[in-house]
Amino acid sequence: MIHELPKLPYELNALEPWISAKTLEFHWGKHHQTYVNNLNNLIKGTEFENLSLEEIVKKSSGGIFNNAAQTWNHTFYFEQFSANPKKIPEGKLKELIDKTFGSLDQFKTEFNQLALTLFGSGWTWLIETTPGTLAIKQTSNAETPFKNSEKCLLVIDVWEHAYYLDTQNARAKYIENFWNVLDFKVIEKRL
Amino acid sequence: MKFELPNLSYSYDALEPYIDARTMEIHHTKHHMAYTTNLNNALAELKDYPATMEEILSTISKYSMAVRNNGGGYFNHNLFWELLTAKSSKKPVGKLAEAIERDFGSFEAFREKFNTAAATRFGSGWAWLVSQNGKLVIGSTPNQDNPLMDISELKGNPVLALDVWEHAYYLKYQNRRPEYIEAFWNIINWEKANELYIKTL
Ligand SMILES: [Fe+2]
Ligand SMILES: [Fe+2]
């Protein structure tokens, strides 16, 4: 099956000034697209050719895994933004965040710290490890908690390409900006 | 003793148009500076450590990840800046030129192999030409690891180094890493590379 680049659920300039149109143009239009193209090329004639993206991520390794997981991770990342985001979680998500981290602010502080200190390229996630238990996790390069059947709730891409045009070396500034467009409505639905 | 951020022997705009001045300035004053500061902070927690980075790197498995990452970052960038010049001969010189012909068949074949190593390093890292007692080998390392580290899969003495972290090229080349790699061949300081090679013989 041919994998396709999902459309963004907003305009390229919708997240400005926090994430620029130029960054999205490259991040979604080039990086994400390239992962999708590479994946389609690599699986041709292999046992992965007719599998769903999720199955490929779980069963593959090497170049196929890198491109499949990056395709999945980026879709998951881009889906969670909005120009009019819900900034405070409610309901069950709020309960679990309060139970695990004490408060939303405390969660953000811990999450920001891990996003900031991930060395090299990678991702920082909020995951549900077992029903009702949240945790924050760093992964390198294309690695994704979803491969180990951990439920992903929220993610920040900290590859330099995610922020270099906007904030250059200042990753902390990008992480701070991220919360201004992160839509907790999307995260609540993932729980 | 503290490790210091070295000055560059050329101006930030010297490598234009291959590497732009803004990239050079941020790369040197922010990224390299941060590795230097973080390395010194990590070493400050230790009672004692060797005087040279080479000694630290050769036993890096005994140190924290902070020393490994920032020590690598400090050392690799020192080397990288020295291997660049505005006045490149554009082709290898001296004993290194001979060894490249001997070990890769031709400069073109060598270039192609190095380009592949640089282009296919997934995520952040470095591409290397190393000397293993005179024999030349091409490879790459992840993040700020380098071939002097005891934990490194690729071993040897660095002769040529190319930073393929996105911060090294993103402002000018964005996702087009191969264009940045191509540009690198115009600004290599082959005199310096030859000097590094001769020291390993
Ligand atoms: Fe990304
Ligand atoms: Fe660098």
Side-chain angles (χ1 to χ4, degrees):
Chain A
M1 86 188 234
I2 305 285
H3 299 275
E4 284 186 32
L5 178 72
K7 294 257 176 300
L8 292 181
Y10 40 80
E11 297 295 316
L12 284 176
N13 64 2
L15 309 182
E16 294 202 341
W18 314 110
I19 298 177
S20 69
K22 191 153 188 233
T23 290
L24 285 182
E25 194 184 309
F26 284 103
H27 199 181
W28 173 72
K30 304 289 184 190
H31 291 277
H32 197 181
Q33 178 74 68
T34 302
Y35 293 127
V36 173
N37 293 348
N38 289 346
L39 175 65
N40 284 324
N41 290 330
L42 288 169
I43 60 175
K44 254 180 228 153
T46 73
E47 61 190 295
F48 301 105
E49 193 165 18
N50 296 310
L51 298 186
S52 69
L53 182 61
E54 287 73 13
E55 287 174 303
I56 297 175
V57 170
K58 292 200 166 178
K59 292 175 180 166
S60 64
S61 61
I64 293 183
F65 170 76
N66 284 342
N67 287 287
Q70 285 296 75
T71 298
W72 193 90
N73 292 347
H74 280 92
T75 300
F76 197 79
Y77 170 78
F78 287 125
E79 272 173 3
Q80 37 174 35
F81 298 124
S82 159
N84 298 296
K86 175 172 182 175
K87 292 192 180 174
I88 313 279
E90 293 177 298
K92 191 172 166 219
L93 180 62
K94 177 192 156 43
E95 260 172 54
L96 291 185
I97 286 175
D98 289 349
K99 188 183 100 182
T100 310
F101 305 103
S103 68
L104 177 63
D105 279 348
Q106 190 54 36
F107 157 63
K108 282 191 190 176
T109 303
E110 289 178 33
F111 185 90
N112 290 357
Q113 186 57 25
L114 288 176
L116 186 65
T117 55
L118 184 135
F119 194 74
S121 299
W123 304 79
T124 296
W125 307 79
L126 175 67
I127 58 173
E128 191 181 28
T129 48
T130 56
T133 308
L134 302 185
I136 304 169
K137 181 173 189 170
Q138 300 173 321
T139 61
S140 284
N141 294 338
E143 283 163 34
T144 179
F146 158 73
K147 191 175 174 81
N148 315 323
S149 303
E150 289 170 320
K151 189 173 180 183
C152 299
L153 299 177
L154 187 163
V155 74
I156 187 166
D157 184 346
V158 291
W159 283 59
E160 287 172 323
H161 66 231
Y163 57 89
Y164 215 79
L165 296 177
D166 292 342
T167 67
Q168 295 81 50
N169 60 300
R171 188 192 285 183
K173 184 78 194 143
Y174 156 68
I175 297 169
E176 195 184 312
N177 290 345
F178 168 86
W179 296 110
N180 289 301
V181 284
L182 191 271
D183 190 355
F184 273 107
K185 212 170 2 167
V186 178
I187 314 306
E188 287 168 2
K189 282 190 205 138
R190 287 171 173 173
L191 194 61
Chain B
M1 194 205 73
K2 287 201 161 194
F3 290 99
E4 281 180 27
L5 180 73
N7 290 319
L8 302 190
S9 63
Y10 42 82
S11 60
Y12 290 132
D13 63 3
L15 307 178
E16 295 263 12
Y18 306 108
I19 301 180
D20 61 291
R22 187 158 174 252
T23 294
M24 285 301 296
E25 183 170 357
I26 296 172
H27 204 169
H28 181 236
T29 65
K30 305 288 186 186
H31 293 279
H32 197 183
M33 175 61 112
Y35 293 126
T36 309
T37 306
N38 294 338
L39 169 65
N40 285 321
N41 288 343
L43 289 174
E45 291 175 14
L46 305 177
K47 277 205 199 85
D48 193 31
Y49 53 86
T52 68
M53 268 323 292
E54 284 84 351
E55 287 172 87
I56 295 175
L57 296 173
S58 68
T59 54
I60 202 71
S61 57
K62 300 200 171 94
Y63 293 84
S64 64
M65 279 309 284
V67 174
R68 172 170 160 185
N69 289 338
N70 294 295
Y74 173 72
F75 180 89
N76 295 344
H77 287 88
N78 285 358
L79 190 66
F80 186 49
W81 306 137
E82 288 191 341
L83 282 164
L84 300 177
T85 176
K87 302 182 198 86
S88 174
S89 59
K90 312 235 171 177
K91 55 186 194 317
V93 297
K95 286 234 179 305
L96 177 59
E98 289 166 27
I100 284 174
E101 294 267 336
R102 181 194 68 210
D103 292 343
F104 301 102
S106 68
F107 178 48
E108 270 317 304
F110 157 74
R111 254 175 79 138
E112 219 169 283
K113 198 160 181 215
F114 189 91
N115 285 351
T116 303
T120 55
R121 165 51 56 188
F122 189 73
S124 301
W126 291 76
W128 303 93
L129 174 66
V130 299
S131 168
Q132 297 173 345
N133 304 314
K135 185 188 186 310
L136 293 172
V137 173
I138 288 168
S140 71
T141 55
N143 295 336
Q144 295 297 353
D145 288 354
N146 72 44
L148 293 176
M149 291 181 174
D150 58 359
I151 49 87
S152 178
E153 218 168 283
L154 174 71
K155 293 262 185 0
N157 290 94
V159 174
L160 200 59
L162 177 60
D163 187 347
V164 292
W165 282 59
E166 287 172 323
H167 67 233
Y169 58 86
Y170 211 79
L171 295 179
K172 186 172 170 78
Y173 300 98
Q174 294 85 43
N175 60 306
R176 302 181 303 281
R177 190 193 286 184
E179 283 181 30
Y180 159 71
I181 298 169
E182 212 37 66
F184 171 64
W185 296 103
N186 293 290
I187 47 175
I188 295 173
N189 187 341
W190 286 108
E191 302 288 340
K192 178 70 192 176
N194 187 44
E195 207 178 283
L196 291 172
Y197 179 62
I198 288 170
K199 269 196 243 167
T200 71
L201 297 178

